[in-house]
Amino acid sequence: MDPYVIQMNSNSNLPSVLDVHVNIGGRSSLPGKMKGRKARWSVKPSDMSNKTFNPIRAIVDSMKVKPNPNKTMIALSIGDPTVFGNLPTDPEVTQAMKDALDSGKYNGYAPSIGYLSSREEIASYYHRPEAPLEAKDVILTSGCSQAIELCLAVLANPGQNILVPRPGFSLYRTLAESMGIEVKLYNLLPEKSWEIDLKQLESLIDEKTACLIVNNPSNPCGSVFSKSHLQKILAVAARQCVPILADEIYGDMVFSDSTFEPLATLSSNVPILSCGGLAKRWLVPGWRLGWILIHDRRDIFGNEIRDGLVKLSQRILGPCTIVQGALKSILHRTPQEFYHNTLSFLKSNADLCYGALAAIPGLQPVRPSGAMYLMVGIEMEHFPEFENDVEFTERLVAEQSVHCLPATCFEYPNFFRVVITVPKVMMLEACSRIQEFCELHYHCTEGSQEECDK
């Protein structure tokens, strides 16, 4: 059977597209009865859909509670910096999109891994002498979430396991379990600013471990790992020969008193797939442009992993072409002042929130160093009428109309997460309401009477 070959070539100045090869095999047969099958309707959801579970949605949707009608709702639960309108992207970013659209050059299909010119821009932007990049090392994706999905799909088979942080971004579990991949949770330590418990991490590794996910800076913790801690993580991965999926979407959102170290700059031995995107640094999560940076200087991934990523990218034929067309201008024309102002606002809000909540008996916030979040421990023994963090946050909504995500969503009970992107006046009001709520429900325990008498 000869293949049918469709070649799509263009002599215009438009970005080149991939040739499309279509193989048509087999012979058609006339419709008729299939032996042993009684025709009847029986349409059921697939195993993959049944195994797809989002813990945040499950917990939030089960919180059947109405906010206090006498207080305006303040949502500190949504990890979208655009929600309140106080953090718009820069006009240069918007103009870049308008120019790409008006050019008429980006209305067709691009290669599934992204235009070569766009991948060259990302490679140049994230190139470091210690971690060099070329266009061939970049896969463009539909947001960072798809980047993570492709990395898991290329590294792990059903029945294998991956190592995921606890507390951690719930999507890792959602994606892995839908693919039949087991999730093993390694612990982050709040008393050490959410550093990894390295001994416990290493104890989880076995012959079926396909990769280690390192999320730095962290969602939900807002933590930023030091260079020395990252080197210790890499030492574990090197010793155990486990590749790393580095979720670095918040890599450029680090406060002035901390430093972000791209993981790949600290090792030439461990193969790393680094995931990022436009969403957070440029405050455009809805534009859905992410990327995978392939760091493999010892050729451990080889061509097989690279080819696998290309094949997987062909499932949705690549991210939005208009955003790709705007990418060069976004990367090079966005003023430094925009980045500075965004980070200054986030740090100011983080300091304000941390200071206010740290003064409330029964709460133990952990100071963040980056990203858009802050985790707060609840001393549940002082709030005996609440069984857990889910009940605590439910009642906070019902009484004070302040919505924080219970950290059970992130596999870490008796904490809650605060999003720090809300306007300052809302943050102040939310902290005031949380204080009122805690003062109302706080109970002294034996040994804490001195604190209560203050």
Side-chain angles (χ1 to χ4, degrees), residues 214 230-231 233-234 244 246 248 260-267 272:
V214 178
L230 289 170
Q231 288 170 329
I233 298 167
L234 286 162
I244 292 178
E248 299 181 323
F260 168 68
E261 304 278 356
L263 195 60
T265 63
L266 304 178
S267 172
I272 297 169

Side-chain angles (χ1 to χ4, degrees), residues 70-261:
N70 299 317
K71 297 192 176 188
T72 304
M73 185 69 178
I74 301 177
L76 303 180
S77 56
I78 306 168
D80 181 346
T82 72
V83 167
F84 297 98
N86 60 313
L87 288 173
T89 191
D90 191 80
E92 289 285 1
V93 177
T94 307
Q95 189 59 49
M97 279 288 276
K98 292 177 180 177
D99 291 345
L101 182 61
D102 290 343
S103 75
K105 294 180 179 179
Y106 305 103
N107 296 331
Y109 287 117
S112 63
I113 57 174
Y115 290 129
L116 174 61
S117 59
S118 302
R119 290 184 286 118
E120 287 174 339
E121 292 296 338
I122 291 294
S124 174
Y125 192 82
Y126 287 101
H127 173 92
R128 301 289 185 275
E130 312 89 341
L133 287 168
E134 301 175 34
K136 67 181 178 63
D137 304 315
V138 179
I139 307 280
L140 297 185
T141 62
S142 181
C144 188
S145 296
Q146 197 214 3
I148 294 167
E149 180 179 23
L150 294 187
C151 291
L152 291 178
V154 82
L155 292 175
N157 283 311
Q160 289 187 288
N161 65 69
I162 61 170
L163 307 180
V164 171
R166 173 173 56 197
F169 185 35
S170 62
L171 188 71
Y172 306 141
R173 179 182 287 279
T174 300
L175 292 173
E177 292 188 341
S178 74
M179 301 179 201
I181 301 165
E182 180 190 356
V183 170
K184 290 188 172 185
L185 299 170
Y186 65 82
N187 294 326
L188 306 182
L189 304 171
E191 67 274 16
K192 293 188 176 182
S193 299
W194 301 111
E195 286 190 344
I196 296 173
D197 182 340
L198 294 168
K199 285 186 178 180
Q200 186 258 347
L201 164 68
E202 193 160 10
S203 73
L204 298 175
I205 298 172
D206 60 23
E207 70 281 354
K208 291 186 177 181
T209 301
C211 78
L212 161 62
I213 295 182
V214 178
N215 177 208
N216 180 52
S218 165
N219 173 13
C221 301
S223 54
V224 179
F225 292 149
S226 67
K227 182 176 181 179
S228 62
H229 189 61
L230 289 170
Q231 288 170 329
K232 292 174 183 176
I233 298 167
L234 286 162
V236 172
R239 189 160 54 244
Q240 298 293 340
C241 297
V242 175
I244 292 178
L245 190 171
D247 180 355
E248 299 181 323
I249 185 67
Y250 294 100
D252 297 302
M253 299 186 84
V254 173
F255 304 153
S256 55
D257 49 2
S258 298
T259 302
F260 168 68
E261 304 278 356

